[in-house]
Amino acid sequence: MQRSGHGTDLAVGDLTRAIEDFNRYYIRLPVVQKLPFTTLSVLDTLVQSGPKRLTELARAEQISQPGLTQLVTRLEHDGLVERRRDPTDGRAVLVHLTERGRQICQARHEDRGRHLLPLIAQLTPEERQSIAEALPALVRLAELGRQADQ
Amino acid sequence: MQRSGHGTDLAVGDLTRAIEDFNRYYIRLPVVQKLPFTTLSVLDTLVQSGPKRLTELARAEQISQPGLTQLVTRLEHDGLVERRRDPTDGRAVLVHLTERGRQICQARHEDRGRHLLPLIAQLTPEERQSIAEALPALVRLAELGRQADQ
DNA sequence: CGCAAATGTATCGCGAACTTATATAAGTGT
DNA sequence: ACACTTATATAAGTTCGCGATACATTTGCG
């Protein structure tokens, strides 16, 4: 266990394992809206960060620029996003979420909460307490991770 | 915030949000081995639960049985898994991990740990402490989630 | 036992979602 | 005005998933 060195008195292996566990559970969660994975990720990104350029989105999602252009075309066709010209740069397009796109993200979020609730109910009060106390730190950790990738 | 009702004095919305944050960060993490997502998920499943039948794997990964047959064919071709007959049922095939497949999972896990370490180093000692104390509960929560999907 | 029904895999054809390469359009610098 | 960079779009090819279907083995029951 990597316990020393960089001022991290936390078992990195354990945390990594825990996060991977959650990923495996969450990723395969059956969801209401059956959409391709990258599509959902793009929508979430737009919810969090607001309108973005195609190029920025492609970098964030780690797919090619043409791939994202096609994806946005599909999304636009389905009425989940809108392309608007960037007023400050005639070459660029800003991808905006529509109300419908926002609703889908919201519905997914609530759906996941519904899956989680009965699981939380099975924990002991002490376990729930410890998780509740760790939440701010976990959120900050995720925040740092997002920054690290720019 | 949903604080009452089923004996869950934990803000489900906040926890859901935190887990989603980690998913978004982790899923798009650039990794050493560039393999399709479902492929990696299958390998991880085999690491955790040992040899499995095609049908079981297909259900766990939520893809069709023909889809999984093809996936396993690719994996076998790449030497990451082996097909062995089930001694107790002549119809069934058990998918076994090879040493090479195990190594890839291990490498990915370590890679993720390396990404996480510098982030953890930026947290305050109190934040690290709170996360460390919540880890057993988080692991149990993930465990419950896995059981819930059978 | 013998044969239908159930169960487990494999194959085929198709469509969706990526990729790389290339083209077009707009801004930037000299 | 000219080359150069940046932003997006189009085209062709590949990969990975699905549904339908076929085949093999096991199970259950008269």
Side-chain angles (χ1 to χ4, degrees), chain B residues 17-70:
Chain B
R17 188 80 70 189
I19 294 176
E20 284 169 2
D21 277 357
F22 280 116
N23 271 293
R24 296 181 45 66
Y25 172 57
Y26 251 71
I27 289 169
R28 295 306 184 180
L29 247 187
V31 279
V32 201
Q33 289 287 134
K34 191 79 173 184
L35 289 175
F37 175 70
T38 306
T39 302
L40 296 168
S41 185
V42 166
L43 292 179
D44 279 350
T45 300
L46 291 176
V47 163
Q48 286 204 346
S49 62
K52 267 193 180 300
R53 296 186 174 193
L54 280 178
T55 316
E56 285 180 292
L57 276 178
R59 189 162 37 78
E61 306 299 332
Q62 296 182 38
I63 70 175
S64 68
Q65 173 268 313
L68 191 75
T69 290
Q70 292 177 325

Side-chain angles (χ1 to χ4, degrees), chain B residues 15-150:
Chain B
L15 180 53
T16 309
R17 188 80 70 189
I19 294 176
E20 284 169 2
D21 277 357
F22 280 116
N23 271 293
R24 296 181 45 66
Y25 172 57
Y26 251 71
I27 289 169
R28 295 306 184 180
L29 247 187
V31 279
V32 201
Q33 289 287 134
K34 191 79 173 184
L35 289 175
F37 175 70
T38 306
T39 302
L40 296 168
S41 185
V42 166
L43 292 179
D44 279 350
T45 300
L46 291 176
V47 163
Q48 286 204 346
S49 62
K52 267 193 180 300
R53 296 186 174 193
L54 280 178
T55 316
E56 285 180 292
L57 276 178
R59 189 162 37 78
E61 306 299 332
Q62 296 182 38
I63 70 175
S64 68
Q65 173 268 313
L68 191 75
T69 290
Q70 292 177 325
L71 194 154
V72 168
T73 303
R74 291 193 294 272
L75 284 175
E76 195 169 30
H77 180 268
D78 295 345
L80 304 188
V81 302
E82 278 177 8
R83 267 188 247 244
R84 295 190 202 159
R85 302 203 51 192
D86 185 337
T88 72
D89 187 340
R91 301 165 299 177
V93 167
L94 289 178
V95 183
H96 290 251
L97 265 183
T98 64
E99 190 48 42
R100 191 159 134 62
R102 220 178 309 273
Q103 282 170 6
I104 284 185
C105 288
Q106 179 67 16
R108 275 174 49 84
H109 179 68
E110 288 168 1
D111 189 45
R112 301 195 149 186
R114 272 191 295 276
H115 278 275
L116 209 44
L117 189 58
L119 302 179
I120 291 178
Q122 295 178 58
L123 295 178
T124 68
E126 291 76 20
E127 286 172 327
R128 287 196 288 271
Q129 179 67 22
S130 69
I131 293 179
E133 283 170 4
L135 275 180
L138 288 170
V139 168
R140 195 157 103 79
L141 189 56
E143 189 72 34
L144 289 169
R146 216 173 297 133
Q147 286 173 20
D149 304 333
Q150 277 82 7

